[in-house]
Amino acid sequence: ASLRMLAEEGRVYMMYAGFEADGTFCGYYGEGQSSRGDDYYYTLLRGWDCAWNYVDSCATDCAGDCVADVTVPCVDGYKGANPDCRRYYDVSSDTGVPDTCASAVSCTTYFDDHYNTAVYDPRMRPWYTKVNAATPRAWSSVYPFASEGVLGITAAWRFANSGGGVVGLDLKLGSIRQIVADAYAAADGSFTPAYVTTADGLLVAASDSSVALVDGDGNPVTATNCSSAAIRAGEAYLATSTSFTGRADAILEIEGVPYWLFRGAVADAYGLDWRVIALHTAACRAGY
């Protein structure tokens, strides 16, 4: 079922679950979404069989030199994981089972290209800590994914079965950008300047592929400080206008071209609160 959804919702980066009892983590990468290749991949962190446990080890103060003692992965060291805990498998697109064996739990053939930090505990990740008993479903803020460092967001849902845990579904900002680009593209290859921001002004997507969504350090950029003159002009107008939905009352002139600004929203009951801005040329067509 997970693979069918990944195939149908082709822009989903990953679907997974983290378990509260021992930090077990498992999930599928969408086809072509992983840097490992164009296939589907499955990952399994065997929390029940790891030589470390971040939450348990750090529940109390570290004893002794917690930096030098690599067996204690506490906040100041955060290292010492058994690299074999996190495994990756190339899986069948039909069954989701590893190509080389019947079960990932017992499979001895896997990729060992674990993270350089060699430490991963799902219970410490932003998508996991975002939800709780009082708020069992929520969207994360924009954050860097552990696997590749790219920015994205996660839809998270806490469950109580099997000892409890959290299910997550990831979207890269690049995938959201493509959705926006497709929506505002014209048949002749041109596009309507459009962009999406969070409630606090971070740039989530832009129809112009040349606009960078991150700075040189990999951090998200604000719409007011991005590289696009059109986006900066749109933000400058919105900063001085009263809140509205639909078309703005005034025409914006950006680099000598007049535009109508349209403002919409993408919001839900689970914390998603984004603005969608589109700038449509205000010039009349020939003959009018």
Side-chain angles (χ1 to χ4, degrees):
S2 295
L3 289 180
R4 285 197 298 272
M5 181 173 180
L6 286 171
E8 293 168 1
E9 306 294 337
R11 303 199 190 282
V12 173
Y13 172 60
M14 192 179 181
M15 297 175 62
Y16 49 82
F19 293 83
E20 184 69 28
D22 55 17
T24 290
F25 175 84
C26 59
Y28 288 100
Y29 292 90
E31 184 177 21
Q33 292 289 333
S34 171
S35 60
R36 293 170 179 80
D38 293 331
D39 295 333
Y40 290 98
Y41 291 90
Y42 178 75
T43 184
L44 173 65
L45 170 67
R46 299 171 300 118
W48 68 88
D49 194 29
C50 284
W52 59 277
N53 184 299
Y54 188 98
V55 173
D56 292 347
S57 296
C58 301
T60 58
D61 292 337
C62 292
D65 188 344
C66 298
V67 176
D69 183 0
V70 296
T71 64
V72 182
C74 287
V75 175
D76 53 355
Y78 199 37
K79 57 187 177 180
N82 177 355
D84 287 340
C85 283
R86 185 74 183 264
R87 298 175 175 177
Y88 302 88
Y89 307 85
D90 195 348
V91 297
S92 165
S93 60
D94 296 322
T95 65
V97 174
D99 291 333
T100 55
C101 48
S103 169
V105 174
S106 59
C107 191
T108 58
T109 305
Y110 53 87
F111 300 111
D112 61 355
D113 53 344
H114 50 81
Y115 304 146
N116 292 333
T117 57
V119 174
Y120 184 87
D121 190 317
R123 297 164 295 183
M124 305 305 293
R125 296 297 297 159
W127 55 269
Y128 197 100
T129 58
K130 183 72 175 183
V131 291
N132 51 47
T135 308
R137 300 180 186 181
W139 288 93
S140 72
S141 301
V142 174
Y143 72 100
F145 293 161
S147 52
E148 299 177 25
V150 297
L151 293 178
I153 61 167
T154 299
W157 172 52
R158 179 168 287 276
F159 60 87
N161 296 338
S162 303
V166 177
V167 171
L169 184 149
D170 288 345
L171 286 169
K172 293 179 180 179
L173 291 195
S175 295
I176 301 171
R177 176 207 285 273
Q178 192 59 52
I179 294 172
V180 174
D182 291 346
Y184 289 95
D188 62 1
S190 62
F191 60 87
T192 296
Y195 62 98
V196 181
T197 70
T198 62
D200 54 356
L202 293 181
L203 186 61
V204 174
S207 59
D208 183 352
S209 61
S210 69
V211 178
L213 303 179
V214 297
D215 62 20
D217 296 322
N219 299 312
V221 300
T222 60
T224 54
N225 292 319
C226 75
S227 59
S228 167
I231 294 177
R232 295 196 305 271
E235 290 298 286
Y237 174 82
L238 292 171
T240 60
S241 65
T242 56
S243 181
F244 67 93
T245 299
R247 196 183 75 178
D249 292 331
I251 290 179
L252 280 72
E253 186 170 306
I254 304 171
E255 297 180 341
V257 179
Y259 289 93
W260 286 115
L261 184 147
F262 289 80
R263 174 178 175 170
V266 178
D268 62 17
Y270 307 111
L272 196 65
D273 185 12
W274 291 353
R275 297 180 308 160
V276 182
I277 310 299
L279 298 163
H280 292 273
T281 305
C284 294
R285 292 180 293 174
Y288 288 86

